[in-house]
Amino acid sequence: MVTAVLASLASVAVVAVAAMTTTALIARRQGRVVVVDVTWGVALALAAVAAALVGAALAEGAAWRAWALVAAVGVWGLRLSWHIHRRSGGGEDPRYKRLLGGPLDDVGMGVAVRKVFLLQGAAVCLVALPVTIGAVVDVEWHPLVAVGAVVWLVGVLFEAVGDAQLAAYRAQPRATRPPVLDTGLWRFTRHPNYFGDACVWWGTWLAGGLASGWVAGLATVVAPATMTYYLVFATGARPLEENMMQRPAYRDYARRTSMFVPLPPRRSAAPPTLGG
């Protein structure tokens, strides 16, 4: 089993290197690194395929679960990548300008490789851990696979419905649409898509990591925990709201609406916090 785990880890690392190298070349041609956002979901889907192929080649793990994980990560990753690609413009994302210290043409590819592509490649390997291990290790607790599937489904629905509601809101004429989107899922959480993303990876961990036993669960829980941290604090909700909180209507919305976990709207005028 140790050989299978190492081979699975190596296959995912190869996928991450190939994906980020290809994306870096595209970024250099386009003069913007935001294209890495499209690669993220595709790279994780390919990582799941690579791990499942290793399991099949070495006859390790439960094949049905390995390919179920491929389907789960594939549905999530390809939908996300298509969604990001469809709504991306031609310019650079301000987040990446701040991270790089300026436009790509000014700072150079070396900075982009160190600050973006190496980190994103490492993140693919880290976040994929439940899939990487789950593809080559036997299932010990079958009910957790079902629980994980339910959590994953909740996450996908939150992401897909939240993105669709946001797209419909943005399609309205700016002069006549409400100042903030506070209906549908957005009535209960300010970031239903980020919450859904977190659920997808906690569900994947339950099905691929913890369902393989305590050792595998503890070894892989860093994946959904890290993903959640980034979704809330590092690159997701918190930095996004730094600019949005400058709008009075959004501050009012934040006072009554949970930031991340869906909760009933508050009636009090308590100031918004990151946790609620």
Side-chain angles (χ1 to χ4, degrees):
M1 184 179 71
V2 174
T3 299
V5 169
L6 292 176
S8 187
L9 290 168
S11 71
V12 170
V14 169
V15 167
V17 170
M20 291 304 150
T21 300
T22 302
T23 306
L25 293 174
I26 295 172
R28 183 174 65 178
R29 187 176 72 243
Q30 295 188 3
R32 59 190 190 128
V33 300
V34 70
V35 293
V36 76
D37 289 349
V38 177
T39 300
W40 175 247
V42 174
L44 283 164
L46 292 175
V49 172
L53 289 174
V54 169
L58 299 179
E60 294 281 359
W64 64 268
R65 182 179 63 168
W67 292 106
L69 290 170
V70 168
V73 178
V75 167
W76 167 84
L78 296 180
R79 189 210 72 85
L80 178 65
S81 291
W82 173 248
H83 173 73
I84 294 174
H85 171 71
R86 187 174 57 180
R87 70 186 182 95
S88 63
E92 183 64 278
D93 190 312
R95 294 175 303 161
Y96 287 114
K97 282 187 179 180
R98 290 195 297 268
L99 178 63
L100 296 176
L104 179 60
D105 291 339
D106 293 346
V107 302
M109 278 301 299
V111 174
V113 169
R114 291 195 307 273
K115 291 189 174 183
V116 176
F117 297 107
L118 281 177
L119 291 178
Q120 291 274 2
V124 168
C125 296
L126 178 65
V127 172
L129 276 177
V131 178
T132 307
I133 302 302
V136 295
V137 176
D138 291 330
V139 180
E140 287 195 17
W141 298 320
H142 288 80
L144 282 179
V145 178
V147 174
V150 171
V151 175
W152 173 88
L153 181 60
V154 169
V156 169
L157 289 175
F158 260 84
E159 274 199 275
V161 173
D163 285 340
Q165 291 173 343
L166 181 59
Y169 169 78
R170 287 176 170 170
Q172 299 177 51
R174 186 179 292 271
T176 59
R177 72 188 184 192
V180 294
L181 172 58
D182 59 358
T183 58
L185 295 179
W186 301 82
R187 181 171 182 264
F188 304 99
T189 167
R190 306 199 297 270
H191 301 281
N193 43 3
Y194 291 151
F195 172 76
D197 209 348
C199 286
V200 163
W201 287 100
W202 281 106
T204 302
W205 171 72
L206 286 170
L210 190 57
S212 302
W214 284 111
V215 174
L218 291 174
T220 58
V221 71
V222 64
T226 301
M227 174 66 90
T228 303
Y229 171 80
Y230 272 86
L231 288 169
V232 177
F233 298 106
T235 60
R238 185 175 186 176
L240 181 63
E241 290 200 337
E242 287 179 359
N243 291 329
M244 299 180 73
M245 283 295 185
Q246 298 175 14
R247 296 159 47 193
Y250 192 86
R251 288 198 300 271
D252 291 340
Y253 168 61
R255 289 188 179 97
R256 63 180 185 271
T257 309
S258 170
M259 187 183 90
F260 195 70
V261 178
L263 294 171
R266 291 184 291 263
R267 294 183 178 180
S268 67
T273 64
L274 290 175

